[in-house]
Amino acid sequence: MSDELNVEELFASKVFTLGKMKERLPKSTYKEVMHIIDQGGELSPAAADVVAKAMKDWAVENGATHYTHWFQPLTGITAEKHDAFVTHPDEDGRMIMEFSGKELIKGEPDASSFPSGGLRATFEARGYTTWDITSPAFIKETATGPTLCIPTAFCSYTGEALDKKTPLLRSMEALSKQAIRIVRLFGNTDATKVIPSVGAEQEYFLIDAKKALQREDILFAGRTLYGAPAPKGQEMDDHYFGVIRERIGAFMRDVNIELWKLGVTSKTQHNEAAPAQHEVAPIYESANVAVDHNQLVMETLKRVAGKHGLRCMLHEKPFAGVNGSGKHNNWSITTDTGVNLLEPGQTPNENIQFLLVIACIMKAVDTHADLLRQSASNVGNDQRLGGYEAPPAIISIFLGEQLEDVVEQLVETGRAANLKEGGVLRTGVSTLPDFLKDPTDRNRTSPFAFTGNKFEFRSVGSSDSIGSPNTTLNAIVAEAFCEAADRLESCEDLERGIHDLIKEYMTEHQRIIFNGNGYAKEWEEEAARRGLPNIPSMVEAVDTLITPKAIRLFEKFGIFTEAELRSRAEVLYETYAKSVNIEALTMLDMANKQIIPAVVRYTNSLADTVIKLQTAGADTTVPCELLKEITEKLTEMKRATEALTAAEKEASSMPQGKEQAFFYHDRVVTAMTTLRKPADELEKLVDKDYWPFPTYADLMFEV
Ligand code: ADP
Ligand code: MG
């Protein structure tokens, strides 16, 4: 890699950008594409053919031989099936690379092996992928060669969404429509749509690939299922923002280059709190593209790690006892004329709009705290949320001191006129920049924090797609905007109506505001007094998707049908059961084939020592004590494997669904915890030469 890296030239070089379309398409076709990006609609077959040809020519110039409809099924990751541009040879045996408009717009993968939660029986294998024109096509360069990737939505033969993109796009449209009604109330007539912007900070761990290969738990479960803590953890705070080591630096540089080529604005990189933990963050962009780009970030991290002899762990809790990984989802809403509705602003007029937006968001988050919690749940995040180092499982909003004060005064005095005069507001807003400059400790623990001109949803797990959290956020805020607009549009005295509504919403939903320490035990009790939901696990969160309140919300805005919600609930239960089952089997395999035999070998050597010492007439106290302690723990461990085997057997023989998932959660996970304890204690007693796989110290400190 040369030092004269031209980032400006490199950037988006592997993306079929609007600029490239403008260059390569006839004016009228380009106009048609732009119109659809802006206003929606369908590309005419003729235009689709023209776009497809231009896209193919560009891809072929860049060495591509294949294309793929790149989509995001409910697995949480992406899927692709490659097709070469090759066609039937002509009579002379010559072949011409081709790509039609039809192939660009619609794909028909055999979809029977993707999770559908009963929406599509396996014998009805038909699924369709359709081009999402709002997310640019790009070329992925892997060992298979450059491949043209076309971002697509994925749905069933009967039109139900089978992916994460379709509902996200639907939610963006819903939010836009309702937000426009809000800005119209304030006399904004030029904006035609409102777009949610998202910037996702991605945390990850990097360990040595050779060592990772020696651990079945890392291979199969993506996290360690055993492991005594290393003598040193993160207590010295010396890794966070520390100097980036050479091997990691070389990796980060390559990641940046790969991401820039793909048009991902990789911007910030640093070491995170735990040893071997790091973070990368791009600049925010339209939610839809941000979701796609976050998938590319995760994929690129893993791929480039492989090239550097490293393994990238995206799991939410790869190691017990040190920080887990999350994905801070920064979210704001901006008009197509560039007004961020979350910008506090300078003039009182804009501030009132801002306060109305904040009031609506308070209402949205309070009304649907359960759904927001659900949107950030996955199997790995169960190990992280509420662990006193990550946001709690209770959703609350942090507004910062100044804004909270504004809310309090509004609620207390009840005088909307105060706002208009600007006293309270001006004070609050004019000091906001000062506040923002102070990094406050207190807001680190909040799951949903206002940070200047955006909300930062911090509960999201590091390995998860950010599709669901943003779909939910857009949906709940759309609903609050809609209800506010319904009332205000028919208001005779609009100014008064707005002030009353702000006060009403802020009063009714003030309980969702919490500026204190979210890690503290007292918060759990306080939250319970306030009646805020505390949903500790993924399985307990699933049913929030199918409450009458949730179904009403999602159906009203055309984001999910009830059938789609029910299918998603099914998929979540199945995913949970399958994941825990893999973890249980992995633990048993490691216990039975690695740990127990290793400990037995060590006790054998100890016993030999005792006999030899006795023969020699020497003191055998210490080896005898050790032998006793170790064999006791070995017995405990063996019994625990038997209990886990029985629990796993019972669980895996149950029919799939809620009951099974809860059985895994209540019985299997508990049995896993019981097995881990003696194993980790043994690790601390047994001669390191006998221990069958790399330890926490080997994994986290020798990268
Ligand atoms: P922090 O102090 O939380 O690290 P940063 O300003 O570094 O905040 O931003 C973190 C992420 O938030 C980045 O991806 C950034 O692009 C994104 N971000 C910044 N402003 C906005 C905004 N208005 N809307 C959405 N995301 C934003
Ligand atoms: Mg941040």
Side-chain angles (χ1 to χ4, degrees):
M1 204 183 329
S2 87
D3 284 322
E4 319 129 42
L5 193 65
N6 187 337
V7 180
E8 287 178 11
E9 231 167 68
L10 196 71
F11 189 77
S13 55
K14 300 296 168 189
V15 184
F16 197 56
T17 55
L18 289 179
K20 291 192 185 89
M21 283 209 227
K22 197 172 185 177
E23 234 173 72
R24 289 167 177 261
L25 293 177
K27 243 195 191 127
S28 61
T29 316
Y30 177 70
K31 259 191 164 161
E32 198 177 325
V33 169
M34 286 310 291
H35 184 79
I36 293 169
I37 291 177
D38 280 343
Q39 317 281 326
E42 259 176 65
L43 214 53
S44 66
D49 277 333
V50 176
V51 177
K53 176 157 188 323
M55 203 186 265
K56 184 260 306 172
D57 288 346
W58 167 76
V60 170
E61 281 163 33
N62 279 276
T65 51
H66 288 70
Y67 73 93
T68 180
H69 276 198
W70 187 72
F71 60 105
Q72 301 172 26
L74 298 179
T75 51
I77 51 172
T78 59
E80 52 196 25
K81 175 188 131 201
H82 300 185
D83 277 298
F85 294 117
V86 297
T87 52
H88 257 305
D90 65 14
E91 289 147 23
D92 303 327
R94 256 189 336 214
M95 193 280 296
I96 295 182
M97 305 271 267
E98 261 177 20
F99 183 48
S100 70
K102 248 194 185 140
E103 287 169 306
L104 164 66
I105 285 175
K106 199 179 98 188
E108 204 183 311
D110 179 335
S112 53
S113 298
F114 293 105
S116 79
L119 274 182
R120 186 186 18 64
T122 11
F123 58 89
E124 295 164 343
R126 233 183 260 269
Y128 292 111
T129 49
T130 39
W131 182 28
D132 168 19
I133 200 167
T134 61
S135 183
F138 56 92
I139 291 174
K140 218 158 73 172
E141 293 171 303
T142 65
T144 47
T147 301
L148 172 67
C149 296
I150 300 152
T152 54
F154 178 46
C155 49
S156 74
Y157 184 65
T158 42
E160 281 115 350
L162 295 174
D163 69 345
K164 303 250 175 187
K165 186 187 269 286
T166 309
L168 176 74
L169 291 172
R170 293 171 180 166
S171 76
M172 288 172 69
E173 284 188 14
L175 178 67
S176 177
K177 209 163 139 197
Q178 302 308 325
I180 280 292
R181 293 176 68 193
I182 297 292
V183 300
R184 290 279 186 268
L185 293 170
F186 290 86
N188 181 331
T189 49
D190 1 316
T192 61
K193 59 178 178 178
V194 171
I195 305 136
S197 303
V198 169
E201 303 162 54
Q202 175 73 50
E203 293 179 336
Y204 60 93
F205 279 77
L206 276 182
I207 59 170
D208 186 86
K210 280 206 201 85
K211 287 188 190 129
L213 282 176
Q214 293 169 44
R215 293 199 52 138
E216 280 185 25
D217 45 6
I218 294 177
L219 288 189
F220 298 139
R223 69 167 173 128
T224 56
L225 297 163
Y226 295 103
K232 183 182 175 206
Q234 62 191 50
E235 58 277 65
M236 303 301 286
D237 293 326
D238 51 353
H239 192 254
Y240 190 62
F241 282 16
V243 174
I244 296 166
R245 288 185 307 278
E246 291 294 284
R247 188 176 179 193
I248 307 301
F251 161 84
M252 286 180 172
R253 181 176 160 91
D254 271 0
V255 166
N256 287 331
I257 291 172
E258 292 306 310
L259 288 177
W260 289 333
K261 284 200 258 179
L262 292 169
V264 180
T265 49
S266 181
K267 168 112 179 141
T268 310
Q269 62 197 23
H270 61 82
N271 287 346
E272 255 300 330
Q277 192 186 25
H278 313 277
E279 179 179 308
V280 61
I283 297 173
Y284 65 98
E285 55 198 335
S286 160
N288 177 36
V289 180
V291 170
D292 288 358
H293 279 174
N294 182 251
Q295 291 287 356
L296 288 179
V297 168
M298 293 195 284
E299 221 179 286
T300 304
L301 287 171
K302 285 196 222 162
R303 189 165 47 82
V304 174
K307 287 191 180 161
H308 286 254
L310 295 163
R311 188 178 185 92
C312 174
M313 298 173 88
L314 293 173
H315 195 279
E316 285 72 16
K317 194 77 178 176
F319 301 98
V322 295
N323 262 36
S325 298
K327 183 138 54 190
H328 292 176
N329 187 89
N330 295 271
W331 176 91
S332 64
I333 33 182
T334 311
T335 65
D336 54 352
T337 50
V339 180
N340 177 358
L341 303 190
L342 295 177
E343 184 65 55
Q346 297 298 321
T347 63
N349 190 34
E350 276 170 355
N351 286 337
I352 293 168
Q353 178 179 307
F354 167 74
L355 284 178
L356 176 62
V357 168
I358 293 288
C360 287
I361 292 175
M362 282 171 65
K363 179 180 174 174
V365 175
D366 187 29
T367 309
H368 296 294
D370 58 341
L371 277 178
L372 210 49
R373 161 68 180 95
Q374 190 287 321
S375 76
S377 67
N378 69 2
V379 187
N381 229 2
D382 272 11
Q383 312 290 326
R384 169 180 169 259
L385 290 184
Y388 304 110
E389 42 89 356
I394 308 157
I395 297 289
S396 65
I397 301 179
F398 172 86
L399 282 182
E401 270 169 61
Q402 278 82 6
L403 256 185
E404 196 197 11
D405 184 50
V406 171
V407 171
E408 266 167 21
Q409 292 187 54
L410 270 168
V411 168
E412 272 165 31
T413 65
R415 303 272 313 178
N418 267 348
L419 271 178
K420 225 186 152 204
E421 283 153 20
V424 172
L425 187 62
R426 201 170 292 134
T427 319
V429 172
S430 63
T431 53
L432 258 175
D434 293 339
F435 159 72
L436 284 174
K437 276 179 207 143
D438 293 329
T440 68
D441 265 357
R442 293 192 300 160
N443 87 9
R444 283 221 328 252
T445 66
S446 175
F448 196 71
F450 183 70
T451 45
N453 62 0
K454 58 183 160 79
F455 276 99
E456 189 171 338
F457 185 25
R458 299 177 175 141
S459 308
V460 186
S462 49
S463 71
D464 216 355
S465 158
I466 53 170
S468 299
N470 288 300
T471 302
T472 302
L473 254 174
N474 297 341
I476 65 176
V477 174
E479 184 188 59
F481 281 169
C482 176
E483 284 171 19
D486 282 349
R487 247 172 71 178
L488 295 172
E489 279 165 357
S490 58
C491 218
E492 272 179 21
D493 183 348
L494 181 62
E495 214 163 282
R496 196 185 170 86
I498 293 174
H499 289 165
D500 288 352
L501 190 127
I502 291 174
K503 176 180 185 267
E504 182 189 314
Y505 281 11
M506 286 189 172
T507 308
E508 262 173 41
H509 302 287
Q510 202 180 8
R511 65 171 186 170
I512 197 72
I513 306 288
F514 178 62
N515 275 0
N517 178 8
Y519 298 172
K521 190 80 196 149
E522 298 82 62
W523 169 230
E524 258 178 59
E525 292 152 16
E526 166 67 19
R529 275 195 296 277
R530 294 189 191 185
L532 299 178
N534 182 356
I535 308 172
S537 72
M538 170 177 166
V539 285
E540 286 157 295
V542 175
D543 270 350
T544 63
L545 284 176
I546 47 172
T547 61
K549 167 174 82 79
I551 294 170
R552 221 180 309 125
L553 162 75
F554 288 121
E555 288 209 321
K556 178 170 180 182
F557 296 101
I559 296 166
F560 288 116
T561 61
E562 182 172 347
E564 285 171 336
L565 286 168
R566 291 195 180 280
S567 80
R568 265 154 221 254
E570 283 309 307
V571 169
L572 290 169
Y573 286 133
E574 279 172 34
T575 306
Y576 183 83
K578 285 177 189 164
S579 308
V580 175
N581 196 56
I582 291 169
E583 291 194 342
L585 291 177
T586 305
M587 278 193 93
L588 287 169
D589 212 52
M590 290 172 81
N592 292 331
K593 295 199 208 139
Q594 294 187 291
I595 304 176
I596 293 176
V599 177
V600 167
R601 276 197 300 277
Y602 182 53
T603 53
N604 184 46
S605 124
L606 277 176
D608 274 352
T609 308
V610 170
I611 291 166
K612 281 183 189 147
L613 286 173
Q614 265 166 355
T615 318
D619 181 7
T620 61
T621 317
V622 172
C624 279
E625 276 173 12
L626 248 179
L627 200 51
K628 182 164 176 289
E629 200 180 344
I630 289 173
T631 43
E632 274 170 15
K633 295 213 186 297
L634 191 59
T635 310
E636 190 187 333
M637 192 176 160
K638 182 70 173 64
R639 296 295 162 262
T641 61
E642 286 154 10
L644 179 57
T645 306
E648 187 279 330
K649 211 167 158 194
E650 196 176 340
S652 58
S653 65
M654 289 169 79
Q656 281 186 343
K658 180 174 176 177
E659 203 188 324
Q660 186 199 38
F662 270 86
F663 188 92
Y664 271 104
H665 177 264
D666 298 338
R667 298 279 301 281
V668 178
V669 170
T670 314
M672 284 163 58
T673 311
T674 310
L675 170 58
R676 177 168 182 158
K677 192 172 154 280
D680 288 358
E681 285 164 0
L682 281 165
E683 188 193 316
K684 288 190 257 181
L685 295 172
V686 169
D687 182 339
K688 193 169 187 328
D689 290 344
Y690 285 81
W691 202 252
F693 40 73
T695 63
Y696 272 23
D698 303 332
L699 292 169
M700 280 190 279
F701 289 90
E702 290 177 20
V703 194

